[in-house]
Amino acid sequence: MAREECKALLDALNKTTACYHHLVLTVGGSADSQNLREELQKTRHKAQELAVAIRAPLTAALRDRSLAAEERAEFERLWVSFSGCLDLLEADMRRALALGTAFPLHTPRRPLVRTGVAGDSAGVAARALSARSLRHEAGGDFDVADLSVLEREILQVSEMIHDMEMKVNVPRWTVQARQTAGAELLSSASAGSMGGASVQERTRPCDVSKALAATVFSAVLLAAVALAISVAKLS
């Protein structure tokens, strides 16, 4: 039961971490806004909650000496995936901190992505973008306050990773995957060969009909040439 629960939580953590990674890439660009910063905060908090929920049962299972070898191997695979998610989350949090510091929301800034818009329309767009809702005006320093919180959370994630490595020693290079190397390529290649065989089977009748048509055309052409030669001799 613990393994299935860890799998479900890890799947949710994978999706949340991937979502956070995608959001971080837009910080400082033309799509950057306070809505984005708030979404970043919610997403990273969700990822940290999932990480805390996974760490306890996963650590307890791997420290259980009575665990069967097959069960331990499965938990070790989950552990490697979990460690990879935390490493990516920490790296993206550091990237969000650097970009958020370099591109604050409420000061004149130059976006990373240039849209190419210039002239009077650019002024209209700038005035439209400067209009904020009352909720955002109330929290005008949201991004500045969140950066200090983000710094503390980065330290917490780093401590979590260090604590995990101290409690459970699972070298990543010792964990064996379920599938052999290149299994996906082999499966796709076999599917492609089956598709090619089916195409060949479908094209066989077409090839026979083409050969028959070519034979008839050649016979007609030879008859026409012979007739032309005969007419030439008679004349």
Side-chain angles (χ1 to χ4, degrees):
M1 184 63 183
R3 186 178 67 177
E4 298 301 324
E5 181 183 358
C6 287
K7 281 184 178 180
L9 290 172
L10 184 58
D11 183 61
L13 179 61
N14 270 318
K15 294 178 180 178
T16 307
T17 306
C19 179
Y20 185 73
H21 177 76
H22 176 73
L23 292 174
V24 169
L25 296 179
T26 59
V27 175
S30 58
D32 196 1
S33 64
Q34 186 157 331
N35 286 329
L36 174 66
R37 303 297 177 95
E38 292 175 357
E39 191 65 28
L40 277 167
Q41 185 190 62
K42 294 176 183 177
T43 306
R44 77 167 188 266
H45 285 171
K46 180 64 176 178
Q48 292 176 79
E49 291 173 2
L50 290 170
V52 171
I54 297 171
R55 180 183 60 175
L58 199 54
T59 303
L62 288 172
R63 298 185 71 180
D64 185 6
R65 297 182 180 274
S66 62
L67 198 65
E70 183 178 354
E71 194 77 6
R72 176 173 293 276
E74 183 63 28
F75 274 108
E76 286 180 352
R77 281 190 284 268
L78 295 177
W79 180 268
V80 171
S81 299
F82 179 50
S83 301
C85 285
L86 285 185
D87 290 341
L88 180 61
L89 178 63
E90 182 190 11
D92 284 334
M93 289 172 69
R94 293 185 183 277
R95 181 181 300 175
L97 177 62
L99 291 175
T101 304
F103 299 95
L105 288 176
H106 301 286
T107 57
R109 61 191 178 91
R110 181 176 299 175
L112 290 176
V113 180
R114 290 184 174 274
T115 60
V117 179
D120 296 336
S121 59
V124 175
R127 288 194 297 272
L129 290 174
S130 64
R132 302 183 183 276
S133 64
L134 295 176
R135 181 173 62 88
H136 286 172
E137 288 178 357
D141 295 332
F142 168 81
D143 58 324
V144 178
D146 186 58
L147 289 177
S148 60
V149 176
L150 179 57
E151 284 184 298
R152 293 195 299 269
E153 292 178 358
I154 290 173
L155 294 177
Q156 292 174 2
V157 174
S158 299
E159 291 176 359
M160 182 187 300
I161 296 173
H162 177 72
D163 183 64
M164 287 167 43
E165 293 175 349
M166 294 298 294
K167 288 183 177 179
V168 179
N169 183 22
V170 181
R172 300 185 183 184
W173 57 88
T174 62
V175 178
Q176 296 182 355
R178 286 182 175 180
Q179 297 179 342
T180 57
E184 296 84 358
L185 298 177
L186 292 176
S187 61
S188 61
S190 61
S193 62
M194 292 177 61
S198 61
V199 170
Q200 290 179 358
E201 291 177 357
R202 289 196 300 268
T203 56
R204 281 177 184 174
C206 297
D207 294 338
V208 173
S209 61
K210 289 180 180 179
L212 181 60
T215 303
V216 172
F217 178 76
S218 300
V220 172
L221 182 61
L222 290 175
V225 171
L227 181 61
I229 294 174
S230 300
V231 171
K233 288 182 178 180
L234 291 175
S235 61

